[in-house]
Amino acid sequence: MRRSVETRVGTTFVLLMQLRVLVIGVTVVVDGQVRGDPWALGVLVLAAVVSGVVLAGWEKVVLRLFEQPALLAFDVLIGYAVLQVGGIFGPYFLVTVVTAGLAGLLYRWPVTALLCAQQAVLYYAALYRNAPADDGGGGVTMPLLVMLPVFYGVAALVGTVLRRLFDEHADAEETRWRMEAQAMAAEERTRLAREMHDSLTATLSGIALSANGLPSWVRKSPDRAEQEARRIATAAQVATREARSLIAELRDDSAGVPLVEAVRVLAGEWESRTGVPVRVDAEAGADLPAPARREMVTIVREALENVGRHAEASRVDIVTAVNVGELEVRVRDDGRGMPGRPDDPGWLEALARGGHYGLVGMHERARRAGGRLAVRSIPGGGTEVTASIPAAGPEPEPARAALGSR
């Protein structure tokens, strides 16, 4: 069963059990006759204790109930005991109706119908045994016999409808995720092709052009040839890094995964590969629209790669939080810091001239998602990279808007 369905079924299960505990508690407080009968009081206390234990471990209980419907049949017997000691009217009957609602919520119709039939039979048994005290002459026996058991079927129907709504909502959510992933995959292919043309292809063309001219420089000027050779080596390293980045993005399967989960998986893989411990402190429910989420995950991946290549860190912390309509992800390490001053306007250009395009690309990704990137670094005191992207996502570009309208 899908996780979203499990969550909604579990929440409804908890609400129904809380309703039962509340009804039992109110009944004991209000009904003085029950408080004066040790046997009746004991049965109600047993029902309340069983309900409390179920509430305490509802996650395991729900899974076990899915596997063993007979456990809910045991709950039906507890309901019969409640009817027997308290009578078939009012709150005592409501305690048993909750069980029918749980049956409809958890099981398909054959099992639900069997449990409702069991409840009806036990209801008749309780009615028969309590008839002299309840009707005082038989005037209300027939209406009770016909009408009240109908509520078991009604409660089961309500539970079944809720379960169907949960399943339909999960199917619609899964379809939306799939269509979103397909649209994003098409957009990603276009973007990767553009980046390969604009960056990797241009870099390789420059390498080829410089390599063709290298023999003539060897003959004319050995010093210039040495400079050209170093430039070619640097360009080759840049091309290698660009190719690795593109390959990593092609292999990225986080399109349909919530941001927090994607970051945890990414951090775990990087930690197992590098041996550097990573602590992820993520705010529950923090997420972004799919295009912005992809950019954020790539920024975190590149930040971790920079730590692994340059920082010599012993620890990395990743913090994800929502702040004034923006989702912030901070990647902080305790390494040796970065050269230069990140707040210097010419710092990024200096990095690019030295062949360090990782941070440049991270800034571009943050801007493309409608956000910004900030870097704080102290030589010998570590580095902190903070990406902030609006939770609503960036405004769509014309090409994307056209794609979405078709």
Side-chain angles (χ1 to χ4, degrees):
M1 187 173 53
R2 290 180 295 277
R3 182 177 303 177
S4 59
V5 176
E6 291 178 346
T7 302
R8 293 182 177 91
V9 169
T11 301
T12 307
F13 179 88
V14 169
L15 289 175
L16 289 175
M17 296 306 297
Q18 289 175 339
L19 174 63
R20 171 184 286 181
V21 173
L22 178 63
V23 169
I24 293 174
V26 171
T27 301
V28 172
V29 171
V30 173
D31 195 339
Q33 184 177 356
V34 169
R35 293 197 305 272
D37 186 347
W39 170 246
L41 185 62
V43 170
L44 290 177
V45 169
L46 174 63
V49 169
V50 170
S51 301
V53 171
V54 169
L55 277 174
W58 67 268
E59 294 178 336
K60 295 181 180 179
V61 171
V62 170
L63 292 178
R64 186 61 64 87
L65 286 174
F66 277 123
E67 300 171 356
Q68 298 292 337
L71 294 177
L72 198 61
F74 174 75
D75 190 74
V76 172
L77 295 178
I78 294 179
Y80 167 72
V82 171
L83 292 178
Q84 185 63 41
V85 300
I88 58 175
F89 292 108
Y92 306 100
F93 180 73
L94 182 59
V95 170
T96 63
V97 171
V98 170
T99 303
L102 292 176
L105 182 69
L106 298 176
Y107 307 118
R108 296 186 181 277
W109 263 112
V111 176
T112 302
L114 183 62
L115 289 171
C116 289
Q118 179 188 2
Q119 283 190 292
V121 170
L122 294 178
Y123 168 83
Y124 292 146
L127 175 65
Y128 174 76
R129 298 193 61 174
N130 292 329
D134 284 340
D135 63 17
V140 296
T141 300
M142 185 57 65
L144 292 176
L145 183 68
V146 174
M147 294 301 299
L148 283 183
V150 173
F151 284 97
Y152 293 136
V154 172
L157 179 61
V158 171
T160 301
V161 170
L162 285 175
R163 177 61 183 275
R164 180 174 297 178
L165 289 175
F166 295 157
D167 290 337
E168 291 177 353
H169 184 275
D171 290 339
E173 192 176 54
E174 183 177 344
T175 301
R176 180 180 64 82
W177 276 103
R178 186 168 56 250
M179 294 177 64
E180 187 179 71
Q182 291 174 352
M184 191 173 65
E187 179 186 343
E188 185 70 0
R189 285 194 297 268
T190 302
R191 186 186 64 81
L192 289 174
R194 183 175 63 250
E195 289 193 2
M196 289 181 68
H197 178 270
D198 295 342
S199 59
L200 183 58
T201 303
T203 303
L204 292 176
S205 299
I207 292 174
L209 184 61
S210 299
N212 287 333
L214 187 59
S216 63
W217 287 116
V218 170
R219 291 190 298 268
K220 296 178 182 179
S221 173
D223 292 338
R224 178 63 183 274
E226 183 179 356
Q227 294 177 2
E228 291 295 324
R230 291 176 179 173
R231 187 177 301 172
I232 291 173
T234 300
Q237 293 176 355
V238 172
T240 301
R241 185 159 54 249
E242 291 173 350
R244 287 176 178 172
S245 177
L246 290 171
I247 291 172
E249 292 183 42
L250 286 171
R251 297 178 61 186
D252 184 18
D253 57 354
S254 61
V257 179
L259 177 65
V260 172
E261 183 177 343
V263 169
R264 290 188 186 278
V265 171
L266 184 61
E269 293 176 350
W270 187 85
E271 179 178 343
S272 63
R273 188 174 71 251
T274 63
V276 179
V278 181
R279 183 181 68 89
V280 178
D281 182 8
E283 181 176 329
D287 203 358
L288 290 168
R293 184 193 315 127
R294 181 196 62 224
E295 302 291 2
M296 183 67 85
V297 171
T298 306
I299 288 172
V300 174
R301 179 188 294 111
E302 185 63 29
L304 289 174
E305 292 301 325
N306 285 342
V307 173
R309 284 195 296 261
H310 308 296
E312 299 179 1
S314 61
R315 177 187 177 88
V316 177
D317 293 305
I318 301 177
V319 180
T320 300
V322 177
N323 184 18
V324 195
E326 289 187 333
L327 191 145
E328 290 185 354
V329 176
R330 296 189 296 274
V331 182
R332 183 171 54 247
D333 67 77
D334 61 353
R336 61 181 184 178
M338 302 179 65
R341 293 171 53 91
D343 55 349
D344 187 345
W347 182 65
L348 282 178
E349 287 76 4
L351 288 177
R353 286 195 299 270
H356 304 292
Y357 290 97
L359 276 169
V360 178
M362 292 161 66
H363 276 272
E364 292 176 350
R365 289 185 179 279
R367 285 197 299 269
R368 187 159 55 225
R372 62 190 184 279
L373 189 82
V375 180
R376 296 175 60 248
S377 183
I378 301 174
T383 301
E384 181 180 85
V385 176
T386 302
S388 302
I389 295 177
E395 292 295 327
E397 297 176 3
R400 297 181 184 177
L403 178 63
S405 63
R406 282 188 294 180

